[in-house]
Amino acid sequence: MNKVDARVPLLALRQISKRFNAVEALVGVDFEVHAHEVVALVGDNAAGKSTLAKIVSGVLTPDSGLIEVDGEPVTIPSPSAAHTLRIATVFQDLALCDNLDVTANLFLGRELTHSGLLDGGRMEQTARRILHDLTSRIPSVRTPLNTLSAGQRQSVAIARTLIGSPRLVVLDEPTASLSVVQTAEVLTHIERLRDLGLGVILISHNMNDVRAVSDRIEVLRHGRNNGSFDAATASYEEILGAITGATSQAATQDVRLPLSS
């Protein structure tokens, strides 16, 4: 695992709150991620993970709080604004087209042209380079998506984020419903994103996956921060305790009994 960078975070969220009518989805949440770092965001259902991901990706705007990129305050009012800030997100639905091949899916909506025509050769060359950088096992960039496994489709979705040269990638449950082999391949891609210098936010319910690739684990509970852990040293029981509420961020680790008289 890489050591956490002590310099200015790539992305920092300060006291972020979001309400949906009477429901408080996020309450004063702090969160940050550095370049060359995988930060896992975990919590039970309705903990606020997806809401936080949508705020980072520009799908939702916070009611209050501060967002900083490289230490500078920013607003992310839309997905296009997130793209401009070089923030890419892969949601669970993947947003891929089964009737297109790998290259067409990678460049969907961002096709390269030359003299007013699609530049298929340059797109295929770029697609091969990106898949190679991710160590993907997809046999050909011309393979139709509908012939790929679920794990390979996730690989395409992750590779698609690299078309825009992002600095930060948000992955929402990337290993859900995958086989053991497919999960291992996706986890390798996540490690490669970190090796390439990106910051990665990994949202997952699978503690084995989280502990395998994360540098740091941040726990949300009922929309609030409830623990921050070094993935290399934290025990499963510590993380689970924060998720379930058995322990809280305010709880002390050093409980001393009074001396007997």
Side-chain angles (χ1 to χ4, degrees), residues 82-113:
H83 178 69
T84 299
L85 291 168
R86 295 167 62 194
I87 298 172
T89 303
V90 179
F91 291 110
Q92 291 187 57
D93 62 5
L94 300 184
L96 300 173
C97 295
D98 281 351
N99 61 320
L100 300 178
D101 65 16
V102 171
T103 299
N105 269 284
L106 260 58
F107 284 92
L108 193 63
R110 288 177 281 180
E111 291 81 2
L112 302 180
T113 60

Side-chain angles (χ1 to χ4, degrees), residues 13-189:
L13 307 181
R14 313 291 188 193
Q15 291 296 293
I16 296 294
S17 294
K18 181 66 179 179
R19 177 188 290 270
F20 299 99
N21 297 320
V23 178
E24 292 181 315
L26 296 173
V27 184
V29 170
D30 293 321
F31 182 88
E32 62 182 41
V33 58
H34 294 73
H36 291 280
E37 183 182 30
V38 178
V39 180
L41 186 61
V42 303
D44 209 345
N45 292 334
K49 306 183 300 297
S50 293
T51 300
L52 192 68
K54 289 177 180 178
I55 286 174
V56 173
S57 61
V59 175
L60 296 173
T61 55
D63 296 330
S64 61
L66 177 67
I67 303 175
E68 295 178 337
V69 173
D70 290 334
E72 297 294 327
V74 300
T75 58
I76 314 178
S78 66
S80 62
H83 178 69
T84 299
L85 291 168
R86 295 167 62 194
I87 298 172
T89 303
V90 179
F91 291 110
Q92 291 187 57
D93 62 5
L94 300 184
L96 300 173
C97 295
D98 281 351
N99 61 320
L100 300 178
D101 65 16
V102 171
T103 299
N105 269 284
L106 260 58
F107 284 92
L108 193 63
R110 288 177 281 180
E111 291 81 2
L112 302 180
T113 60
H114 179 71
S115 300
L117 300 175
L118 286 177
D119 193 342
R122 188 153 60 103
M123 287 192 291
E124 286 191 6
Q125 183 179 23
T126 303
R128 290 191 190 95
R129 175 180 57 79
I130 289 174
L131 292 174
H132 178 268
D133 288 344
L134 282 177
T135 64
S136 173
R137 297 179 181 178
I138 293 174
S140 170
V141 295
R142 296 184 180 181
T143 303
L145 201 76
N146 58 17
T147 66
L148 298 181
S149 68
Q152 289 172 322
R153 291 173 186 234
Q154 186 66 248
S155 298
V156 173
I158 293 173
R160 184 181 175 186
T161 67
L162 297 180
I163 295 297
S165 300
R167 295 184 297 173
L168 175 68
V169 174
V170 183
L171 301 174
D172 188 6
E173 298 286 357
T175 60
S177 303
L178 297 185
S179 69
V180 173
V181 173
Q182 293 167 352
T183 294
E185 184 172 358
V186 170
L187 294 180
T188 298
H189 296 339

